[in-house]
Amino acid sequence: MSILPKKNQLGFFEIRLESIGGLGANLAGKMLAEAGVLGLGLNGSNFSTYGSEKKGSPVKSYIRFCDPDTEIRAHSPIEEPHVIGVFHEALYKMVDVVSGLAPDGIVLVNSVRDFDDIRRDLQLDYGTLAVVDALGIAVEEKTKVNTAMLGALFRVCDFLDPEAMKEVIRKTFEKKYPHLVEANIRTFERGYHEVRFQTYEAPANAERKSFSRPEPLLGYETQEIGGIITANANSIFKDLSGSRQGFLPKWEMEKCIHCAACDTVCPDFCFVWEEGEDKKGRKQMFLKGIDYQYCKGCLKCVEACPTAALTECREEIGFAEKHTVKQKFPMVLGGNY
């Protein structure tokens, strides 16, 4: 008798992890598949897809499980998952993270917010929403988000054996990072026990979320010769809120000496300056604030600040929008500097 709670037409139970580079979703997918195969004797497969291999870029990891007598001959991205794990909740701004989810599917989100707020942002009409503060657990245990998310995923996928996952954690970390083994096991256990659930009942005629795959604007047939980007000043419209890994710099004007050390190390020109006069009437540039639209939370500015005017702050929904000071780009509007 199969231990898989659900199967699609090919006999697979499928999981899709939505994340950004740096949070460990790729490794989490490998460990999850390994625990199911070695711990329970299931057939399983895992692979990930991503663009540029760097922190902050969108990442998807796919896991398929099936009974031992079923062969896995499908190696395409998972379009209709039974379970979705969202490692960074701001991803919904740039990725349709619940695309293809069934009416009775389960979405696990790394967040501290209320169920209804998350449900509204994800446009989740029905299904089960699971929430765990994976970032908070990881910070307290000095580990990474992925192990806490694995703990919550094992609670969601209750057919999996948590003890098998702990053994995989030991094998994964004991050679290179033996001092992190126990901390990661604690993180896994906390994710398992601290996840919360809320089910939104689906009506009888409920339909699966339609799957959408974003198409590039320019391809091999339409790209300009030389790979030129023809959209003028396209980078000023970017929004890096989906690339942050849970923290932002917080600026306190009273402590700032306007030395520009922060601006020197900032890779994305987030700091907004304005010309003024000092106490002696001399012209000087004064820092007015941070344009969080371009801030990816690297915190290099916090390390460079000599007066602690910039400090590390855990990202909360609405904080960036409330405290941002917008950059001025008059040339975009046809004006002059």
Side-chain angles (χ1 to χ4, degrees):
M1 182 178 178
S2 175
I3 63 172
L4 296 174
K6 300 172 186 175
K7 301 177 189 176
N8 60 16
Q9 294 179 342
L10 297 176
F12 303 144
F13 181 89
E14 298 183 324
I15 303 169
R16 188 174 74 219
L17 306 181
E18 302 274 0
S19 183
I20 61 172
L23 295 184
N26 185 27
L27 178 60
K30 292 178 181 177
M31 295 171 69
L32 182 58
E34 185 176 342
V37 172
L38 299 182
L40 296 175
L42 296 169
N43 277 348
S45 69
N46 157 256
F47 67 97
S48 299
T49 59
Y50 40 83
S52 54
E53 192 171 350
K54 64 179 181 180
K55 287 185 177 181
S57 58
V59 173
K60 295 179 186 289
S61 184
Y62 308 101
I63 304 97
R64 285 187 171 97
F65 289 121
C66 60
D67 295 326
D69 58 349
T70 302
E71 294 185 5
I72 299 179
R73 296 181 179 273
H75 301 285
S76 58
I78 293 173
E79 299 183 356
E80 298 182 349
H82 297 95
V83 174
I84 295 175
V86 183
F87 281 51
H88 192 299
E89 64 175 327
L91 269 171
Y92 76 87
K93 295 181 180 180
M94 54 197 229
V95 178
D96 185 4
V97 293
V98 296
S99 174
L101 185 68
D104 59 348
I106 303 174
V107 182
L108 170 66
V109 183
N110 169 25
S111 179
V112 295
R113 293 196 297 154
D114 294 333
F115 288 105
D116 290 341
D117 291 338
I118 300 171
R119 179 193 184 193
R120 181 191 63 246
D121 288 340
L122 297 183
Q123 299 183 12
L124 186 69
D125 300 321
Y126 24 72
T128 298
L129 181 59
V131 176
V132 64
D133 182 13
L135 177 61
I137 295 172
V139 170
E140 291 175 11
E141 299 293 345
K142 298 181 179 179
T143 54
K144 274 196 169 186
V145 167
N146 57 349
T147 318
M149 288 293 288
L150 277 172
L153 282 166
F154 266 68
R155 183 78 175 276
V156 169
C157 305
D158 55 6
F159 63 92
L160 295 172
D161 181 9
E163 295 304 318
M165 187 71 246
K166 292 178 186 178
E167 195 59 35
V168 171
I169 291 174
R170 288 190 181 93
K171 290 181 180 179
T172 302
F173 291 99
E174 65 184 356
K175 289 185 178 180
K176 287 188 176 181
Y177 312 103
H179 60 290
L180 295 179
V181 171
E182 295 305 319
N184 274 282
I185 289 178
R186 287 196 305 271
T187 302
F188 173 81
E189 290 177 340
R190 287 188 60 181
Y192 185 89
H193 292 292
E194 295 179 23
V195 63
R196 300 172 290 126
F197 295 89
Q198 176 72 50
T199 299
Y200 300 93
E201 295 296 334
N205 60 345
E207 296 182 358
R208 179 185 296 274
K209 285 257 183 191
S210 60
F211 177 78
S212 60
R213 180 182 290 115
E215 297 292 336
L217 296 177
L218 298 174
Y220 72 94
E221 291 183 340
T222 56
Q223 178 64 274
E224 295 286 341
I225 295 177
I228 298 171
I229 299 176
T230 57
N232 296 325
N234 64 88
S235 63
I236 72 169
F237 300 112
K238 67 182 178 182
D239 183 353
L240 292 178
S241 61
S243 68
R244 301 179 195 133
Q245 298 188 54
F247 295 94
L248 287 174
K250 181 181 180 181
W251 180 60
E252 296 182 52
M253 182 173 61
E254 297 77 14
K255 298 181 181 179
C256 184
I257 59 175
H258 310 283
C259 65
C262 54
D263 200 47
T264 302
V265 299
C266 179
D268 292 291
F269 303 102
C270 303
F271 293 93
V272 182
W273 298 83
E274 188 173 87
E275 185 178 310
E277 294 184 352
D278 63 13
K279 294 179 181 179
K280 296 183 179 180
R282 296 172 298 189
K283 286 188 177 183
Q284 181 181 330
M285 297 301 291
F286 291 90
L287 181 60
K288 304 303 293 184
I290 303 172
D291 191 342
Y292 286 106
Q293 176 181 342
Y294 307 107
C295 177
K296 60 189 177 186
C298 69
L299 302 180
K300 292 180 180 179
C301 57
V302 175
E303 297 177 11
C305 183
T307 63
L310 288 161
T311 54
E312 179 181 296
C313 173
R314 178 163 179 182
E315 185 177 6
E316 298 177 357
I317 297 296
F319 176 87
E321 289 76 9
K322 182 179 179 181
H323 295 88
T324 195
V325 176
K326 300 303 293 181
Q327 289 276 18
K328 298 177 182 178
F329 297 112
M331 293 297 291
V332 177
L333 302 175
N336 298 313
Y337 284 105

